[in-house]
Amino acid sequence: MIELEDLLSNVLIYNCNVADLAKIRKAYKLAEELHRGQYRQSGEAYIYHPLNVSYILSEMHADCDTICAGLLHDTLEDCDITKEEIASEFGVDVANLVDGVTKISRLNYSSKEEQNFANTRKIILGITTDVRIIIIKLADRLHNMRTLQSKSEFKQKENAIETMEIFVPIAYYIGAYKIKSELEDLSLQYLKPDSYNKVREQRIIIERDSHDCLEEMLTQISTILNDNDIPSDIKIRTKNIYGIYKALSQGGRMSDIHDLLAMKIIVDKISECYLTLGLVHSKYKPINERFKDYICNPKTNMYQSLHTSVFGEDNRIVQTQIRTHQMDQIATFGLTAYWDLNQGDARTRMQEDLREKCQFFNSLLEISKVFGDNQDFVKQVKIEVFSNKIYVYTTNGHTIELPVGSTPIDFAYSIHTDIGNTMVAAKVNGEYVPISTKLHTKDRVTIITDPTSYGPREEWLKDVKTTKAKRKIKEFRRNFTEETGA
Ligand code: MN
C-alpha cells in the first residue's frame, strides 16, 4: 500500500525543492482531514485513492501544483471546502486544476444520459484549457480501473467501455503510451475476460521462449555499438495484451505480428540513430517493407523513432526501435514528458505543442464550434476523432491525419480553407482521380487549385467526412447564394 512517504520519495527523484515538498505534505494533510470517515467500496480509507492518483502523476514527474491538485482532486466534490479556500492555501493554479477536474463530473442534468454526454464533452474540451486537467483525469481513471474489482459487474463493464471509448484515445493523442497500454489491458480484462486470460497465457509463453534469443541479440547489439563508440541503453518489451488481442482478432496469427517482440535501442543523438540502424542491419537482415522513419516523419501525436523489423537470433522476427533519450521520454509519456525535459516552462510547452503539432486538437475545436448539443458533439467526436484514422502525405511529405472514408476534398480543407475553396482537381500518387475518391493510408495527395474556380459545389457535401470541410463548404455556398441571389 502506498503511503505519503512513498509519494514524497518519488517526487524527490526529480524535484528537491524544499518549499514544493512542504506544499505537497500540506495538501496531503488537508485531503486526509477532509476525506476522514469516507471509505471506498473496497473498504479502505478514501485518502488512498487521491494518494495513488498523485503517485501515478509523480511517476510522470508532474510539477508540484499537479501533484497537489491530484491529492485534492475529489475534495471540492465530496467535502466541505470551496475553490476559494483551496486558492488561498495553495494558489490559483492548484484551485483551477482541482476545479477543472471536478467540473468534469459534477454537473447536474435532468437525465443520467444527458449528464453523461455533458461530462464527456467537458472531459474532451478540458484538454483545450489546461492539458494538466486531462492528465490528472487520466491518472484518476487509471487508479479507478486498477481497483475495479470491488465494483459490480455492470459498473465494471460500463467503466471499461467508457475507458476504451474516451480515455484510451485521449492517452494516445497526447502520446502517453504507458498509460494507454495499461488502460487497454485493464479494460479488456473486464470486457472479455476469457480472451484476456488466453492471450495473457500465450504472451507469458512467448516471453519465456524468446528470452534467450533476445538476450543474445541484446548482447550482440550492445557489443557492436560499444565497438563503434555509441553509448546506448537497450530494453526489451513485449506488445501489450490488448495489442496482441486486437492483431489476432483481425485475423492475424501470433507469428505474423511483426512488433510482438521489440528491442528499444536508446542513444544520445539523432545522427547515432542512423548509425545504429546501419549497424543493426549489417548484423541482422531487415524485412524491407517493415522499415519506418518516424524521426523525419513523426506520428501525428509527436512520436519519433526508427522502426525496423529484422530476422533476429533463431530467425525470430524482432522489431528494433531506435531513438534518442528525449524521443523515448516522449514515446513513453507523450506531452507530459516536458515535465522532465527541462526546456523552459513545461506547462506552456505542452499547451503549445498540443495546439501546433497534434492535429486532433483542431478537429475537436471545430466539432465543438459546430455541434452545440452535447450528444451530437460526443457522437461526432467518436466518429471523426476517436475512430480509425488514415494517414496521407502532402506533396512535401508532411503527414495529415484524417478519418477513414475521407476524400481529397477533406484533405484540401484540412490544409487550408482557400485550398478547399479553389480546388478544381486532385491527384493521388501522381494520377488524376475524381475528387470524391476515398483516400488510403500512405497516399500522396496533390490538390490542383485555380483562383478563378467556381468554388465548392453543393454536391461535395455528400463526399466529405470532416466537420471542417462540411462547415466551410456550407459557409461558401451561403455567401455565394447571398451575393448572386441564386
Ligand atoms: Mn477520483
Side-chain angles (χ1 to χ4, degrees):
M1 202 182 254
I2 282 172
E3 302 289 343
L4 171 65
E5 295 311 315
D6 300 311
L7 170 65
L8 290 171
S9 60
N10 228 11
V11 173
L12 261 174
I13 297 172
Y14 62 93
N15 181 353
C16 315
N17 184 308
V18 182
D20 281 358
L21 291 167
K23 191 170 172 182
I24 293 171
R25 236 177 236 287
K26 187 171 136 190
Y28 173 82
K29 209 168 152 267
L30 179 62
E32 200 273 326
E33 265 166 36
L34 289 167
H35 286 300
R36 206 172 286 164
Q38 297 175 347
Y39 296 90
R40 303 193 83 208
Q41 239 149 357
S42 61
E44 65 179 4
Y46 196 86
I47 185 64
Y48 283 106
H49 167 60
L51 184 58
N52 272 281
V53 168
S54 285
Y55 188 82
I56 294 169
L57 292 165
S58 74
E59 289 174 325
M60 299 183 228
H61 293 193
D63 58 48
C64 171
D65 283 350
T66 308
I67 301 274
C68 292
L71 287 167
L72 295 163
H73 83 269
D74 278 329
T75 57
L76 273 185
E77 179 162 17
D78 302 331
C79 312
D80 188 20
I81 189 164
T82 63
K83 184 183 172 189
E84 290 66 35
E85 284 165 323
I86 294 180
S88 74
E89 290 290 321
F90 299 95
V92 183
D93 263 15
V94 175
N96 280 337
L97 287 173
V98 177
D99 189 47
V101 177
T102 309
K103 275 204 180 120
I104 292 175
S105 45
R106 200 173 56 173
L107 298 162
N108 282 320
Y109 280 87
S110 48
S111 78
K112 175 96 168 69
E113 211 189 13
E114 174 58 15
Q115 181 177 350
N116 278 341
F117 287 120
N119 286 347
T120 310
R121 182 178 198 142
K122 284 269 171 191
I123 295 172
I124 295 166
L125 292 177
I127 214 168
T128 59
T129 47
D130 188 337
V131 66
R132 294 181 301 175
I133 294 174
I134 288 305
I135 293 166
I136 297 171
K137 199 66 202 166
L138 280 172
D140 179 43
R141 176 52 59 114
L142 182 56
H143 185 244
N144 285 334
M145 288 299 291
R146 281 181 186 168
T147 52
L148 212 53
Q149 313 86 290
S150 43
K151 300 261 179 188
S152 69
E153 200 187 321
F154 177 78
K155 268 273 160 211
Q156 289 174 343
K157 290 226 154 60
E158 194 182 52
N159 269 297
I161 290 171
E162 194 189 40
T163 300
M164 285 306 292
E165 286 187 341
I166 309 293
F167 291 93
V168 165
I170 290 178
Y172 171 78
Y173 279 119
I174 66 166
Y177 280 93
K178 195 166 183 281
I179 292 190
K180 173 186 168 269
S181 26
E182 193 181 339
L183 285 176
E184 284 175 338
D185 284 1
L186 285 164
S187 302
L188 185 65
Q189 192 183 337
Y190 291 103
L191 290 173
K192 301 235 156 104
D194 293 342
S195 310
Y196 174 85
N197 289 323
K198 207 171 131 211
V199 175
R200 209 186 118 226
E201 276 159 32
Q202 286 174 298
R203 189 174 179 268
I204 293 171
I205 295 171
I206 287 159
E207 284 187 326
R208 199 182 54 209
D209 288 355
S210 58
H211 179 266
D212 291 351
C213 121
L214 287 172
E215 284 298 326
E216 173 60 21
M217 227 175 137
L218 194 152
T219 316
Q220 292 282 347
I221 293 177
S222 53
T223 311
I224 301 175
L225 294 180
N226 262 335
D227 292 346
N228 286 274
D229 292 321
I230 302 174
S232 67
D233 185 5
I234 308 181
K235 293 175 200 156
I236 294 166
R237 79 109 183 87
T238 315
K239 204 174 178 65
N240 73 339
I241 297 173
Y242 178 79
I244 300 174
Y245 162 79
K246 203 172 138 204
L248 293 179
S249 64
Q250 285 166 349
R253 283 176 307 169
M254 195 64 105
S255 55
D256 295 338
I257 306 176
H258 68 98
D259 60 349
L260 182 64
L261 304 167
M263 186 161 289
K264 294 199 275 181
I265 307 173
I266 302 155
V267 296
D268 292 336
K269 292 180 286 200
I270 291 183
S271 58
E272 289 170 348
C273 292
Y274 291 96
L275 287 174
T276 302
L277 177 73
L279 293 166
V280 168
H281 281 179
S282 67
K283 174 76 188 165
Y284 301 104
K285 275 209 181 321
I287 305 176
N288 270 343
E289 56 280 12
R290 282 291 170 206
F291 170 71
K292 296 225 170 88
D293 185 341
Y294 291 121
I295 292 182
C296 287
N297 284 319
K299 287 196 185 184
T300 45
N301 62 4
M302 310 193 334
Y303 176 89
Q304 285 187 293
S305 193
L306 298 176
H307 284 187
T308 179
S309 292
V310 299
F311 294 99
E313 302 291 326
D314 248 4
N315 276 336
R316 222 175 259 277
I317 296 174
V318 177
Q319 183 185 64
T320 52
Q321 306 173 348
I322 307 167
R323 52 193 181 232
T324 64
H325 287 282
Q326 176 165 343
M327 290 172 192
D328 189 54
Q329 280 280 359
I330 292 183
T332 312
F333 298 111
L335 274 179
T336 68
Y338 283 118
W339 272 323
D340 216 29
L341 296 175
N342 282 326
Q343 298 177 333
D345 175 20
R347 191 202 149 179
T348 317
R349 281 297 302 258
M350 285 184 206
Q351 217 61 35
E352 268 171 19
D353 269 14
L354 194 61
R355 216 172 24 239
E356 284 158 23
K357 296 192 187 157
C358 298
Q359 294 177 25
F360 83 102
F361 186 81
N362 290 315
S363 310
L364 284 184
L365 290 180
E366 184 66 40
I367 297 170
S368 177
K369 212 183 296 175
V370 172
F371 294 90
D373 180 76
N374 294 325
Q375 182 166 358
D376 294 345
F377 170 83
V378 173
K379 275 193 187 143
Q380 191 59 28
V381 169
K382 282 186 186 167
I383 295 170
E384 195 174 329
V385 188
F386 294 173
S387 61
N388 287 338
K389 289 307 179 54
I390 55 165
Y391 296 89
V392 298
Y393 299 116
T394 64
T395 30
N396 55 20
H398 192 67
T399 308
I400 302 290
E401 176 181 271
L402 292 167
V404 172
S406 293
T407 62
I409 310 172
D410 291 296
F411 176 91
Y413 280 103
S414 82
I415 308 271
H416 198 280
T417 307
D418 290 344
I419 296 189
N421 285 345
T422 57
M423 158 174 196
V424 288
K427 282 185 187 177
V428 170
N429 304 322
E431 306 277 344
Y432 279 101
V433 296
I435 56 170
S436 58
T437 306
K438 297 215 183 322
L439 298 173
H440 298 99
T441 286
K442 287 189 194 156
D443 279 346
R444 256 178 315 110
V445 189
T446 316
I447 303 296
I448 320 290
T449 57
D450 179 348
T452 65
S453 86
Y454 175 83
R457 321 292 168 104
E458 195 76 42
E459 55 279 17
W460 287 15
L461 284 170
K462 67 172 182 8
D463 295 323
V464 296
K465 270 270 170 197
T466 54
T467 301
K468 182 174 182 194
K470 261 182 211 152
R471 180 169 73 87
K472 292 294 180 184
I473 294 170
K474 281 185 191 154
E475 222 172 75
F476 183 95
R477 297 302 309 166
R478 204 160 42 232
N479 295 337
F480 180 83
T481 319
E482 277 163 16
E483 276 166 32
T484 58

